C-alpha cells in the first residue's frame, strides 16, 4: 500500500485503521470500542481495553531481549556512561515502583519529577506508568515560581528530584529551587524523594525528604505487579505555556498514546527491535517523553539518554561527542533540532570524518522550521537523509512528516512534509473560516477527532481545552496556532505562530517570513525577529542577526553597510512592508537549553519591559548583548 492509500484509510475509517494499529501493543483486556466521539471535541480511544505503558516498554520484551541494551545513560558533565539491559531496567523500575508505593503513591496519584537527564528520571517515569500513577515531568532548573504553579496544579503526592544537574560544567542546584517552590506552593507533597549526585549540598526536611539510595537498597529485588489501566485513564501531565500566563497541563491517555508511539516508530522513524535510537532532547519536553523514553523502548530498541552539550567546551571545542556515541552504540536513527545542527555548523567538519557513522540511516529534525542551508549541510556531512517533522506538546507525536516506513515519498526542502495518518488537516482563513486554496496563507487546523496519542484535555479544565483549541473558528476544528501554507502537491510549510504575528500599519506579517528572507543573505548565520510597539504603525519588526563573518562590521560604518544589504534582501523577497525598522548584530541569541528562541523576552527588552522567567536560558550573556546593542 502506498502512503496516499494508507493515509486515506485512516481518514475514511479511523476506527478500523486504528484497530489494526492497536495490534502493535499488548492488551491485558481487549477494547470493546475503538473510537467514541459521542462528546465532541473529546475523543476516547480503545474504550474498555486495559493495557500498561511500562509493560509495553519493558516486560513484554523480557522473553527475547532481557540481555539486550535498553537504556544507555551518558553524561559528559560527570564523565559517566552506563548501559542497562531490558532485564536490568526492569529491576530498577520495579525498585522505584516499590519505593513509590512505600511512600503512599497509588493508582491515579500524581508524581512530579524535577530531575536532570539521569537514569533515575527514566526509572521514575516508567515506575509511575507501572503502578498507574500520573507523572508530571518539569524541566530541570525551572524557577521556583514556575515550579510552584505546577505543584499547585498537579497536586502531587510525591516529588522526585536530585541535588543538582549540570550544563556545560555549570552546576544547577535543584534542591534549593525545589525547597523554595514548595514554600511558595499552597499544595504540600507528602514526600520528596532525592537522588544525591554529590554535585551540590542540599538541606533535608525531616519527615518529608527521603533518600533514594537508602530505599533502593531496601527494595532492589522487590517485584511490583503491573497495574492494568483502562485505555483512557491518564498517563501523564506535561505543562506547556499558555496565553494567559498560567501553564496548561496537557493530559495524555494510556492506550492511545502507546498505540500512536508504536505505529510512529514503525511508519515514521523506521526503528527496528535491537537497534539504537538517539534523541538529543530533554525528558522535560514532549520529544523526550515520546522519543527518548516510551517510543524506542516500546519498539524494542535501545535508547540513549544524554546529559551534556552538543559541543564540549574543551580546547579546542569538541563537536564530535554525538558522533562518538553514534559510532560506539551503532545508532541507526537520530532525532535532534535545527538549532543544535546550526551550533555544530559553526565547528570544523573534521569531527564527522573522525568517526564511523555507517550505522546511521536517518536524521530527524523538529522543534522549529528547518531552513534549506542547514538541511543540505548536515545531510551532506552525514551522508544520510534528513527528515523534517512538525508537531506539538499537544499532539504527542508528529503531525506532518514523510512516512518512510510506508513508501519513499520524497521530502521537500522547507517543508516538514504532508499530514500523517489520522490527521485530517486544512489551512483555514483566520477571518472567514474558509479553507484556503493552494499556496494561500492561513492557520493550520485539524478536524476532529484527533487521532490516538493526542492530548485528551487540559488537566482539570475541560472548558479551557475547548475554549483554547476548539473555539477559534465557526466550525469546531483544532487550531495549532501556527500559520502555514499548503502547496499544490499537498506539502505543508509552517510560517510561525499566529501569536508571533506582527501588525505593521494594518499589514499582518509572520516573524518567520521575515526571518527566512533575512537568512537568505550570505553573511547571516542566525536571526530572530520580534514585533516591537510603535506609536505610528502599531508595531515594527526588529531583527537581531548573528553574522557568519565579522570581517568588515567591527565598527558602526561596517554594520550600517550590512544592515542596508539585509534590508534590500527583505525588500526583494517580501516587499517594503516586511522591512525591519532596525537590524542589530550580536554573537549570541537568547535560547532555552532545548534550543528554543526566547522571542518574547527579546521583545520585552526592546519595549523596556521585564523579560520574564529566564531560568531556562542557555547563556545569560546573550540578553546582556541585546541590552547593550539597544543602548548603543
Amino acid at each position: 500500500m502506498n502512503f496516499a492509500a494508507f493515509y486515506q484509510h485512516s481518514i475514511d475509517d479511523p476506527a478500523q485503521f486504528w484497530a489494526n494499529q492497536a495490534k502493535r501493543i499488548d492488551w491485558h483486556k481487549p477494547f470493546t470500542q475503538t473510537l467514541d466521539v459521542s462528546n465532541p471535541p473529546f475523543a476516547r480511544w480503545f474504550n474498555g481495553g486495559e493495557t500498561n505503558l511500562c509493560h509495553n516498554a519493558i516486560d513484554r520484551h523480557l522473553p527475547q531481549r532481557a540481555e539486550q541494551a535498553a537504556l544507555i545513560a551518558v553524561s559528559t558533565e560527570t564523565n559517566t556512561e552506563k548501559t542497562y539491559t531490558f532485564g536490568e531496567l526492569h529491576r530498577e523500575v520495579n525498585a522505584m515502583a516499590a519505593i513509590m508505593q512505600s511512600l503512599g503513591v497509588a493508582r491515579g496519584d500524581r508524581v512530579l519529577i524535577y530531575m536532570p537527564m539521569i537514569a533515575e528520571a527514566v526509572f521514575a517515569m516508567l515506575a509511575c506508568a507501572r503502578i498507574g500513577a500520573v507523572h508530571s515531568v518539569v524541566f530541570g532548573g525551572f524557577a521556583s515560581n514556575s515550579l510552584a504553579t505546577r505543584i499547585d496544579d498537579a497536586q502531587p503526592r510525591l516529588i522526585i528530584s536530585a541535588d543538582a544537574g549540570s550544563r556545560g560544567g555549570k552546576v544547577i542546584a535543584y534542591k534549593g529551587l525545589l525547597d523554595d517552590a514548595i514554600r511558595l506552593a499552597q499544595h504540600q507533597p507528602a514526600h520528596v524523594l532525592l537522588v544525591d549526585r554529590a554535585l551540590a549540598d542540599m538541606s533535608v526536611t525531616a519527615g518529608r525528604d527521603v533518600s533514594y539510595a537508602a530505599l533502593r537498597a531496601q527494595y532492589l529485588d522487590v517485584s511490583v505487579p503491573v497495574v492494568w489501566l483502562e485505555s483512557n485513564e491518564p498517563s501523564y501531565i506535561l505543562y506547556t505555556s499558555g496565553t494567559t500566563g498560567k501553564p496548561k497541563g496537557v493530559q495524555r491517555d494510556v492506550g492511545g498514546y502507546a498505540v500512536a508511539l508504536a505505529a510512529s516508530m514503525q511508519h515514521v522513524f523506521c526503528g527496528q527491535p535491537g537497534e539504537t535510537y538517539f534523541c538529543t532532547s530533554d525528558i522535560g519536553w514532549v520529544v523526550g517523553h515520546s522519543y527518548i523514553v516510551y517510543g524506542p523502548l516500546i519498539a524494542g530498541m535501545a535508547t540513549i539518554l544524554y546529559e551534556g552539550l552538543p559541543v564540549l567546551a574543551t580546547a579546542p571545542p569538541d563537536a564530535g561527542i554525538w558522533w562518538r556515541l553514534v559510532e560506539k552504540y551503532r545508532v541507526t536513527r537520530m532525532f535532534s533540532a535545527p538549532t543544535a545542527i546550526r551550533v555544530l555548523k559553526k565547528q570544523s567538519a573534521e569531527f564527522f570524518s573522525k568517526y564511523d557513522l555507517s550505522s546511521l540511516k536517518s536524521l530527524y529534525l523538529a522543534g522549529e522550521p528547518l531552513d534549506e542551508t542547514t538541511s543540505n549541510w548536515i545531510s551532506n556531512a552525514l551522508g544520510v537523509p534528513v527528515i523534517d517533522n512538525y508537531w506539538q506538546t499537544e499532539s504527542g507525536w508528529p503531525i506532518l512528516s514523510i512516512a518512510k516506513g510506508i513508501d519513499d515519498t520524497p521530502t521537500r526542502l522547507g517543508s516538514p512534509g504532508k499530514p500523517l495518518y489520522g490527521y485530517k488537516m486544512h489551512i483555514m482563513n483566520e477571518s472567514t473560516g474558509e479553507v484556503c486554496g493552494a499556496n494561500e496563507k492561513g492557520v493550520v487546523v485539524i478536524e476532529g477527532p484527533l487521532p490516538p496519542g493526542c492530548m485528551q484535555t487540559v488537566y482539570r479544565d475541560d472548558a479551557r481545552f475547548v475554549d483554547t483549541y476548539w473555539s477559534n473558528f465557526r466550525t469546531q476544528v483544532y487550531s495549532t496556532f501556527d500559520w502555514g501554507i499548503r502547496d499544490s502537491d499537498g506539502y505543508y510549510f509552517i510560517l510561525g505562530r499566529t501569536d508571533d504575528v506582527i501588525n505593521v500599519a494594518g499589514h499582518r506579517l509572520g516573524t518567520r517570513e521575515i526571518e527566512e528572507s533575512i537568512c537568505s543573505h550570505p553573511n547571516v548565520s542566525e536571526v530572530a525577529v520580534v514585533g516591537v510597539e510603535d506609536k505610528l504603525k502599531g508595531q515594527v519588526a526588529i531583527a537581531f542577526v548573528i553574522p557568519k563573518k565579522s570581517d568588515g562590521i567591527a565598527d558602526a560604518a561596517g554594520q550600517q553597510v550590512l544592515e542596508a544589504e539585509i534590508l534590500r534582501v527583505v525588500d526583494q523577497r517580501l516587499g517594503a512592508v516586511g522591512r525591519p525598522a532596525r537590524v542589530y548584530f550580536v554573537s549570541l541569541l537568547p535560547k532555552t537549553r532545548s534550543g528554543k528562541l526566547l522571542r518574547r523576552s527579546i521583545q520585552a527588552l526592546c519595549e523596556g519591559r521585564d523579560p520574564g522567567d529566564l531560568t531556562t536560558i542557555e547563556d545569560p550573556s546573550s540578553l546582556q548583548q541585546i541590552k547593550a546593542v539597544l543602548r548603543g
Side-chain angles (χ1 to χ4, degrees):
M1 181 181 291
N2 62 27
F3 179 75
F6 187 80
Y7 171 81
Q8 200 57 48
H9 182 209
S10 76
I11 300 302
D12 294 342
D13 192 355
Q16 182 58 53
F17 176 88
W18 287 106
N20 290 337
Q21 300 303 314
K23 298 172 185 176
R24 297 180 180 277
I25 70 166
D26 281 359
W27 294 90
H28 177 66
K29 179 181 177 183
F31 48 90
T32 56
Q33 183 183 23
T34 305
L35 171 60
D36 176 6
V37 286
S38 60
N39 183 29
F42 301 93
R44 292 174 59 86
W45 287 98
F46 312 115
N47 267 348
E50 291 183 358
T51 188
N52 184 282
L53 278 167
C54 182
H55 167 84
N56 279 286
I58 304 176
D59 297 60
R60 70 170 177 153
H61 299 305
L62 293 178
Q64 294 82 29
R65 305 187 183 282
E67 303 304 316
Q68 178 195 301
L71 176 66
I72 302 164
V74 178
S75 173
T76 53
E77 301 294 327
T78 58
N79 294 315
T80 56
E81 291 186 31
K82 182 173 175 58
T83 297
Y84 297 85
T85 65
F86 275 98
E88 290 166 338
L89 181 59
H90 181 259
R91 186 185 188 210
E92 295 288 353
V93 170
N94 271 266
M96 182 69 81
I99 291 170
M100 289 181 181
Q101 290 180 333
S102 76
L103 297 175
V105 177
R107 179 178 187 161
D109 287 339
R110 275 77 60 210
V111 175
L112 190 142
I113 300 170
Y114 181 63
M115 299 184 77
M117 291 285 285
I118 56 177
E120 289 84 357
V122 177
F123 303 160
M125 294 172 70
L126 290 165
C128 286
R130 188 172 196 84
I131 64 174
V134 178
H135 64 66
S136 179
V137 181
V138 178
F139 181 74
F142 251 140
S144 299
N145 284 324
S146 299
L147 182 55
T149 62
R150 288 154 173 80
I151 292 172
D152 279 336
D153 195 67
Q155 298 183 350
R157 177 177 292 274
L158 171 69
I159 295 178
I160 306 178
S161 191
D163 59 333
S166 182
R167 183 80 173 177
K170 179 184 177 183
V171 172
I172 304 164
Y174 285 21
K175 184 54 163 56
L177 293 169
L178 176 58
D179 285 342
D180 289 343
I182 293 174
R183 280 192 288 269
L184 291 168
Q186 293 183 340
H187 174 81
Q188 298 295 297
H191 292 287
V192 175
L193 180 65
L194 294 166
V195 176
D196 189 352
R197 307 180 72 197
L199 294 178
D201 294 333
M202 58 178 175
S203 60
V204 175
T205 300
R208 185 196 73 185
D209 297 352
V210 291
S211 164
Y212 168 73
L215 289 176
R216 176 181 177 274
Q218 181 178 346
Y219 290 103
L220 187 54
D221 291 311
V222 173
S223 178
V224 177
V226 163
V227 174
W228 298 106
L229 303 171
E230 200 277 332
S231 177
N232 293 278
E233 290 186 60
S235 59
Y236 68 77
I237 307 162
L238 186 58
Y239 288 93
T240 186
S241 298
T243 54
T244 63
K246 179 185 177 183
K248 302 185 295 289
V250 170
Q251 179 180 310
R252 193 91 61 209
D253 68 1
V254 177
Y257 187 52
V259 171
L261 292 184
S264 72
M265 290 303 299
Q266 175 67 41
H267 303 318
V268 181
F269 298 103
C270 306
Q272 297 297 320
E275 295 182 344
T276 304
Y277 197 93
F278 182 16
C279 176
T280 68
S281 185
D282 188 286
I283 58 166
W285 312 124
V286 68
V287 176
H289 281 52
S290 294
Y291 298 112
I292 294 177
V293 181
Y294 290 113
L297 292 175
I298 287 172
M301 301 178 75
T303 182
I304 295 179
L305 180 79
Y306 176 69
E307 181 186 43
L309 298 171
V311 180
L312 303 185
T314 54
D318 179 4
I321 176 57
W322 284 0
W323 318 119
R324 178 179 71 79
L325 296 176
V326 169
E327 176 186 79
K328 181 175 181 179
Y329 296 108
R330 308 303 294 161
V331 172
T332 57
R333 309 286 170 176
M334 190 170 175
F335 193 156
S336 192
T339 294
I341 303 305
R342 293 186 194 108
V343 169
L344 293 171
K345 189 167 176 275
K346 297 176 183 178
Q347 307 299 320
S348 171
E350 69 180 16
F351 288 106
F352 293 101
S353 60
K354 289 173 63 176
Y355 300 98
D356 176 7
L357 306 181
S358 60
S359 64
L360 190 63
K361 298 176 182 177
S362 299
L363 172 67
Y364 299 84
L365 296 176
E368 57 187 292
L370 174 62
D371 61 277
E372 182 176 344
T373 302
T374 300
S375 179
N376 286 336
W377 178 80
I378 190 63
S379 180
N380 291 333
L382 293 175
V384 300
V386 173
I387 300 173
D388 198 356
N389 58 110
Y390 159 82
W391 48 304
Q392 305 177 316
T393 301
E394 290 86 346
S395 71
W397 59 285
I399 297 171
L400 298 168
S401 191
I402 299 297
K404 293 293 187 180
I406 306 298
D407 67 16
D408 200 26
T409 299
T411 58
R412 184 159 295 183
L413 286 171
S415 169
K418 297 183 177 184
L420 288 175
Y421 48 90
Y423 292 103
K424 189 174 184 180
M425 301 184 65
H426 303 289
I427 303 292
M428 193 165 280
N429 185 287
E430 183 190 31
S431 301
T432 67
E434 299 296 323
V435 174
C436 297
N439 299 309
E440 183 181 348
K441 178 181 171 182
V443 181
V444 180
V445 302
I446 307 170
E447 280 191 41
L450 295 179
C454 292
M455 70 184 297
Q456 294 177 290
T457 187
V458 173
Y459 180 62
R460 299 197 307 172
D461 200 341
D462 287 351
R464 190 180 184 193
F465 174 63
V466 176
D467 291 344
T468 299
Y469 296 102
W470 296 90
S471 303
N472 298 281
F473 295 91
R474 289 175 299 176
T475 55
Q476 193 176 68
V477 292
Y478 172 92
S479 175
T480 66
F481 297 101
D482 279 312
W483 292 114
I485 61 172
R486 176 183 52 80
D487 70 13
S488 57
D489 295 321
Y491 289 84
Y492 279 65
F493 297 78
I494 304 300
L495 303 177
R497 295 289 290 176
T498 59
D499 47 11
D500 283 340
V501 165
I502 302 174
N503 194 330
V504 182
H507 297 280
R508 295 171 66 81
L509 303 169
T511 57
R512 183 62 193 170
E513 293 173 289
I514 304 173
E515 290 171 353
E516 286 278 4
S517 64
I518 292 174
C519 275
S520 68
H521 188 284
N523 197 24
V524 171
S525 175
E526 289 189 68
V527 60
V529 172
V530 296
V532 177
E533 185 177 358
D534 180 83
K535 291 182 180 179
L536 178 62
K537 297 184 177 182
Q539 280 185 309
V540 293
I542 302 293
F544 294 87
V545 168
I546 300 178
K548 289 181 179 177
K549 300 177 182 177
S550 58
D551 299 346
I553 61 166
D555 56 19
Q559 291 179 10
Q560 288 173 1
V561 170
L562 181 55
E563 180 179 19
E565 291 178 1
I566 289 172
L567 295 179
R568 282 196 295 273
V569 168
V570 177
D571 283 353
Q572 292 167 1
R573 293 176 67 97
L574 285 181
V577 69
R579 182 193 305 155
R582 279 300 312 270
V583 179
Y584 293 104
F585 298 98
V586 294
S587 62
L588 287 171
L589 289 171
K591 299 174 184 175
T592 67
R593 288 190 287 275
S594 66
K596 295 281 189 180
L597 271 170
L598 292 168
R599 288 184 177 85
R600 293 187 185 180
S601 296
I602 298 172
Q603 182 188 51
L605 290 175
C606 291
E607 296 179 347
R609 297 183 284 106
D610 183 349
D613 181 7
L614 300 174
T615 53
T616 63
I617 192 170
E618 175 68 40
D619 189 340
S621 68
S622 58
L623 285 180
Q624 299 305 317
Q625 285 195 37
I626 299 287
K627 293 178 181 178
V629 296
L630 291 172
R631 285 196 302 266

